[in-house]
Amino acid sequence: MPNTALPGETPRPDPLDGTASSSSPSTAPAELTDAQKAAITGLFGSIDTIATELGDLFAAAGHELALVGGPVRDALLGREVHDLDLTTDAVPQTILKLIDGWADAVWTVGIDFGTVGLRKGGYQLEITTYRSESYQPKSRKPEVDYGSSLYEDLVRRDFTVNAMAVHLPGREFIDPFGGLSDLRERRLRTPGRPEDSFSDDPLRIMRAIRFAAQLGFTLAPEVKAAAADMADRLRIVSAERIRDELTKLMVSPDPRVGIEHMVDLGIASCVLPEIPKLRLEIDEHHRHKDVYEHSLTVLDQAIDLEKQRDMKPDLVLRLAALLHDVGKPKTRAFESGGRVTFHHHEVVGASMTKSRLSALRFSKDVVADVSRLVALHLRFHGYGKGEWTDSAVRRYARDAGHLLERLHVLTRADCTTRNRRKAAALSRAYDDIEHRIERLAEEEELNKIRPDLDGNEIQEILGIKPGPMIGKAYRYMLELRLEHGPMDKADAIAELRKWAEEQGEL
């Protein structure tokens, strides 16, 4: 989990104690305590030379320049700063002239939006002309207007904690909207009315949810209310931008918080409509309040298992944990005696997952992997007390392929029963199958299983030309390999000839 402790919450001096910065509409330097000044100075560290040189370049040309947004926020939170965002009154063409010969590399892919990217001394920087973005009611692309002052730029930013700046080269700290105080309170507010902020860029609704999960912030009441009222505006935002915010949310320290906000505020209906539909869908074991709560618990337990297994935050695994039961509402059936069933919900759920993630423009690999995990998540429940043959274990591992480790985690996480005896039995059973897979892998190189005869050998033995029959024979020999393990060459040839005779090929 990233270090989001403010300086005052460690033994070092607390720059957030003392007078808060002015919340009046002015970019005059805020009154800072000595500790706060030290924290601002600490923003720079290894970028001191870069910041000074760049600030001097712009000042000499009569232009303003300020470090702004995420880097300022993250430094005050004690989080590591990697990339630098700056803002200026200079237009993009002027920016290009000023950094010509100074930057190690320059790119202009964002120049239509007023942004020039560059690399200097191992750091990536983006310099953006003072601007505001807004969407027309039915537009999916923002309209960008250049501003003339830093205040105009800051007031149109998403949240107060991102509307703080440090002026260069003088290093004055600028906080016109009380962002420093909001950092201290772990509170998310907007510089102006949240309705105006969300109207300017509806994606900010998703960003608010993501910050809650990523940084542990609470949403101010007016922010919650505006997000709920304006959630439908997210439909004009491109799927790619929604996907990127959802990805950041899912790999955050506490994605459950974000998902709950999305559902409670009606945002999920525009992004992941399958999730709120899980509410009140009592599962077949009658052990959970509803499938929605069960799915969030599985997500939490998958994250715990990630940590236990020294895995990095895994987008594919977490999406699979969240979506593994999305097929239940469509497959719910009532049987005699009041029993509720969800037959084949894993098959239906895999199809639904594929459709939803594709609509959100996730990569083909992510779509395929998450859908496959959803399809496989019930496979283990036929294992019982270890009655599976070695061939069944081989198939389980082979079907999972490169997703085997994730399937292990997902299957274990899917056990949310409060019956300790049952939970212990399931855990022992999965310990057993994992051990058997490891043993078979050592003995047979399970992940490299091939038939005992390859395609060329099959063609030569049967005396047939390349064609569909070679593939059919290959698959038959693979099934024999999975069922019985390795065979010697003579037995494999005999089995192949016997099969070919039954097919009328000999």
Side-chain angles (χ1 to χ4, degrees):
M1 180 173 180
N3 175 19
T4 57
L6 295 179
E9 295 171 308
T10 69
R12 56 185 170 178
D14 183 359
L16 300 186
D17 283 335
T19 58
S21 56
S22 170
S23 59
S24 60
S26 168
T27 56
E31 292 295 326
L32 299 174
T33 65
D34 289 343
Q36 289 169 341
K37 291 176 183 177
I40 297 305
T41 300
L43 287 174
F44 294 92
S46 60
I47 66 162
D48 183 80
T49 300
I50 294 174
T52 300
E53 289 180 358
L54 194 57
D56 287 341
L57 279 175
F58 278 72
H63 289 288
E64 298 178 1
L65 184 70
L67 186 67
V68 69
V72 179
R73 177 202 70 220
D74 286 346
L76 286 171
L77 284 170
R79 304 174 83 226
E80 190 173 353
V81 175
H82 298 283
D83 301 328
L84 306 176
D85 296 326
L86 301 106
T87 187
T88 179
D89 61 343
V91 297
Q93 292 304 322
T94 301
I95 296 173
L96 289 172
K97 291 178 182 178
L98 290 174
I99 64 175
D100 184 35
W102 179 81
D104 298 332
V106 176
W107 51 93
T108 58
V109 292
I111 201 164
D112 289 343
F113 298 98
T115 299
V116 174
L118 64 98
R119 186 176 69 250
K120 179 70 175 181
Y123 285 88
Q124 287 195 173
L125 297 81
E126 286 191 347
I127 306 175
T128 302
T129 304
Y130 295 155
R131 69 183 184 182
S132 62
E133 293 183 357
S134 62
Y135 284 77
Q136 295 301 316
K138 296 183 179 180
S139 172
R140 290 182 178 269
K141 295 184 179 180
E143 295 180 358
V144 178
D145 296 317
Y146 293 145
S148 59
S149 73
L150 179 57
Y151 173 78
E152 289 178 357
D153 183 86
L154 295 179
V155 76
R156 302 307 292 267
R157 289 183 177 263
D158 51 6
F159 306 108
T160 60
V161 296
N162 293 331
M164 299 180 289
V166 179
H167 204 279
L168 300 177
R171 313 276 178 96
E172 298 95 349
F173 178 63
I174 301 164
D175 179 23
F177 307 108
L180 199 60
S181 176
D182 287 334
L183 274 185
R184 181 62 172 171
E185 298 299 323
R186 294 292 196 280
R187 177 177 55 216
L188 211 59
R189 293 188 305 114
T190 53
R193 293 191 333 129
E195 292 83 359
D196 295 334
S197 181
F198 296 159
S199 179
D200 283 349
D201 184 354
L203 187 67
R204 290 173 176 176
I205 296 171
M206 277 292 293
R207 199 172 297 147
I209 302 305
R210 189 247 298 179
F211 281 143
Q214 190 176 54
L215 301 176
F217 282 21
T218 59
L219 306 183
E222 67 274 15
V223 171
K224 276 188 176 182
D229 290 343
M230 302 178 69
D232 199 57
R233 285 277 286 159
L234 281 167
R235 298 186 191 280
I236 73 167
V237 181
S238 70
E240 290 81 1
R241 296 183 76 210
I242 296 287
R243 173 204 63 206
D244 290 346
E245 282 298 325
L246 181 61
T247 296
K248 292 174 184 176
L249 187 159
M250 290 303 298
V251 298
S252 71
D254 194 359
R256 180 188 183 119
V257 168
I259 298 299
E260 287 178 332
H261 278 315
M262 288 175 63
V263 171
D264 293 343
L265 300 177
I267 297 164
S269 297
C270 305
V271 179
L272 289 172
E274 296 79 7
I275 301 304
K277 291 179 181 178
L278 296 176
R279 276 183 159 175
L280 304 180
E281 298 292 341
I282 307 302
D283 77 358
E284 68 268 41
H285 303 298
H286 300 280
R287 293 291 189 272
H288 311 289
K289 180 180 178 182
D290 54 45
V291 178
Y292 169 69
E293 289 292 337
H294 166 72
S295 298
L296 292 181
T297 300
V298 173
L299 175 60
D300 286 341
Q301 293 186 166
I303 292 171
D304 289 340
L305 288 167
E306 279 181 353
K307 297 172 184 176
Q308 293 174 25
R309 295 183 177 221
D310 293 323
M311 299 169 64
K312 293 181 179 179
D314 190 320
L315 175 65
V316 167
L317 172 61
R318 294 182 181 197
L319 284 171
L322 178 64
L323 299 171
H324 75 285
D325 275 347
V326 294
K328 282 189 171 179
K330 283 191 174 182
T331 58
R332 182 174 61 168
F334 299 94
E335 298 184 352
S336 59
R339 178 174 170 79
V340 181
T341 62
F342 302 92
H343 294 311
H344 306 301
H345 75 268
E346 74 281 11
V347 178
V348 173
S351 177
M352 294 170 64
T353 296
K354 183 178 180 180
S355 295
R356 176 55 52 198
L357 297 184
S358 296
L360 287 169
R361 301 291 192 270
F362 277 95
S363 71
K364 290 182 179 179
D365 287 344
V366 169
V367 173
D369 287 351
V370 177
S371 302
R372 186 63 177 156
L373 284 172
V374 172
L376 291 173
H377 83 272
L378 285 184
R379 182 73 66 85
F380 165 73
H381 292 285
Y383 189 71
K385 297 181 179 180
E387 295 94 343
W388 278 9
T389 62
D390 280 355
S391 63
V393 174
R394 290 188 192 101
R395 285 193 176 86
Y396 183 82
R398 183 176 178 84
D399 287 349
H402 70 283
L403 298 171
L404 183 60
E405 177 68 11
R406 287 162 166 156
L407 183 59
H408 289 334
V409 174
L410 177 60
T411 304
R412 288 182 181 275
D414 195 24
C415 175
T416 59
T417 178
R418 294 179 182 178
N419 184 318
R420 293 184 179 181
R421 183 177 298 178
K422 183 176 180 180
L426 286 169
S427 180
R428 286 194 301 271
Y430 212 84
D431 286 342
D432 184 62
I433 195 173
E434 284 201 61
H435 293 152
R436 290 179 67 183
I437 289 172
E438 290 175 4
R439 175 178 58 80
L440 288 170
E442 291 175 0
E443 293 174 356
E444 306 177 18
E445 295 187 31
L446 191 58
N447 61 332
K448 298 179 182 178
I449 284 182
R450 298 290 185 273
D452 295 290
L453 301 172
D454 63 27
N456 290 330
E457 290 173 316
I458 291 171
Q459 182 178 338
E460 182 179 345
I461 292 167
L462 298 183
I464 58 178
K465 296 180 180 180
M469 186 55 63
I470 300 294
K472 289 179 65 176
Y474 185 92
R475 288 189 291 274
Y476 172 74
M477 295 304 297
L478 178 58
E479 283 298 310
L480 284 181
R481 174 72 170 79
L482 289 169
E483 184 68 30
H484 302 293
M487 291 186 289
D488 62 39
K489 192 69 169 283
D491 289 341
I493 291 173
E495 289 290 346
L496 175 63
R497 289 184 176 279
K498 179 180 177 182
W499 173 84
E501 287 177 0
E502 292 172 352
Q503 300 296 313
E505 291 298 317
L506 287 181

